[in-house]
Amino acid sequence: STIKPNIKREIARLSIPKRTRFKVIQRAVLIKELREVHKLSFPKIGKLLNRHHSSIIHLYYKYANKKTN
């Protein structure tokens, strides 16, 4: 599926190297959406967010079962 413009803006906003708790949680929510809704692979998500795919996998599984509002 194609990525909507609002998701592209989120990707641009969250691909910066900041690691504040707030940014990390937002990034985890975005990763979950990209993985489950858009069916992107971990390496592809990593490339979009300027992160190594292993970092994406770690965030995905760390926050996958947590409720994030």
Side-chain angles (χ1 to χ4, degrees):
S1 66
T2 60
I3 299 174
K4 296 178 185 174
N6 61 333
I7 300 296
K8 288 182 181 179
R9 280 193 297 276
E10 282 296 301
I11 290 169
R13 191 171 66 82
L14 294 173
S15 63
I16 59 174
K18 289 200 181 253
R19 292 187 301 188
T20 62
R21 183 179 189 97
F22 183 70
K23 291 283 186 197
V24 169
I25 291 171
Q26 286 184 321
R27 199 174 290 126
V29 171
L30 178 62
I31 289 167
K32 185 173 181 175
E33 181 176 346
L34 290 172
R35 181 76 176 163
E36 294 175 2
V37 176
H38 297 285
K39 308 293 185 207
L40 295 180
S41 67
F42 289 123
K44 177 73 173 171
I45 296 170
K47 190 171 280 195
L48 288 171
L49 293 174
N50 296 323
R51 299 280 187 285
H52 192 267
H53 74 276
S54 64
S55 299
I56 300 300
I57 293 168
H58 173 74
L59 262 180
Y60 178 78
Y61 286 109
K62 182 174 182 177
Y63 291 98
N65 296 325
K66 292 187 179 184
K67 192 173 186 180
T68 51
N69 295 336

